[in-house]
Amino acid sequence: MFGLFSKKQRECPIDTNTRLWMEQAFVWLVQEFGENNLRTKPMLFPTTEYFPFPYDGTKGSFIQTAHIIARQMEIDLQMINLDLYNESVQEIQSDYGFRMFTQPDENSDSPLTAGLYFGKNETGQFDVFIEKNNLKDPEKLVAIIAHEFAHIKLLGEKRVSFNDESLTDLTTVLFGIGVFNANCAFREIKNFDTRGHSTLGYLKQREWGYALALYAYFRQENNPGWVHHLTPNIRSDFKKSSAYIYGNTDKIFREKYNPGH
């Protein structure tokens, strides 16, 4: 397969502690959400086949997008108070004592939030709010909604007792939405008057590549066709990670993560 798994490419692109944490977290997520579910659930891709409506950046399109993501993540959208806010903020105090969790967007000198998760409100619904400017970018919008909905799967369904943003990012991979979050992790901005980059989420670019490689390995997809949906930089990290995994199958999911070392 074009040297994908050649010995020259068997060095892991992420550090050992991060690799071991990710593999252990992945196993835990599979135990929580079901091995058969992971192996058989179709992935979502940025095509009209999976989002069969004309996206126009309106609140209506936003809700339609949220319905698809909620179904993919096995969440009843009626259990969510889903809305938009106009200004990204660093901290919001809830009248009901709920703690806020944010997903930063670092495409500015002062990082701003992209989405907010509050937990359940007084009506029993989960409060989830998305920064309005994200409606301009449908792929980024999917990634943000998926991350905030992942808080519901972990915190809202009481699978964890404390917030872990990296685990929340990884959860999107388990539900087949990782292509969106990975692609938005790092974007280069190049046009006639602008040079720079934007970032989204908590896992780093190479970590997304490894997470998706673990996902493909677990699903026994040696050369998945969905790789062409990845941006070039994520695709490169995915291939390097896959090369490492298939060159070290005796280690994958077998070594124990020890945060003290």
Side-chain angles (χ1 to χ4, degrees), residues 170-191:
L170 191 60
T171 301
T172 67
V173 177
L174 268 288
F175 281 96
I177 314 177
V179 166
F180 291 87
N181 295 73
N183 284 345
C184 293
F186 183 90
R187 286 173 163 180
E188 291 188 1
I189 302 172
K190 291 182 179 180
N191 54 46

Side-chain angles (χ1 to χ4, degrees), residues 2 33 66 74 106 110 119-120 122 127 158 173 180 199 249:
F2 305 102
F33 298 113
E74 301 167 11
E106 296 179 352
S110 177
K120 284 189 176 181
E122 76 281 7
D127 279 331
K158 301 187 184 304
V173 177
F180 291 87
T199 61
T249 55

Side-chain angles (χ1 to χ4, degrees), residues 56-122:
D56 58 8
T58 63
K59 188 171 183 180
S61 291
F62 163 55
I63 296 300
Q64 285 181 289
T65 301
H67 269 289
I68 293 171
I69 300 168
R71 183 170 62 247
Q72 180 76 7
M73 299 184 73
E74 301 167 11
I75 295 173
D76 182 359
L77 196 63
Q78 293 184 345
M79 292 298 297
I80 303 174
N81 174 35
L82 183 64
D83 210 339
L84 302 168
Y85 62 98
N86 292 321
E87 293 182 358
S88 293
V89 296
Q90 298 303 306
E91 184 175 358
I92 291 179
Q93 297 296 326
S94 170
D95 292 335
Y96 306 102
F98 297 114
R99 183 178 177 185
M100 176 193 73
F101 302 105
T102 68
Q103 183 173 357
D105 178 5
E106 296 179 352
N107 185 24
S108 68
D109 293 333
S110 177
L112 302 174
T113 62
L116 306 174
Y117 167 78
F118 282 96
K120 284 189 176 181
N121 58 31
E122 76 281 7

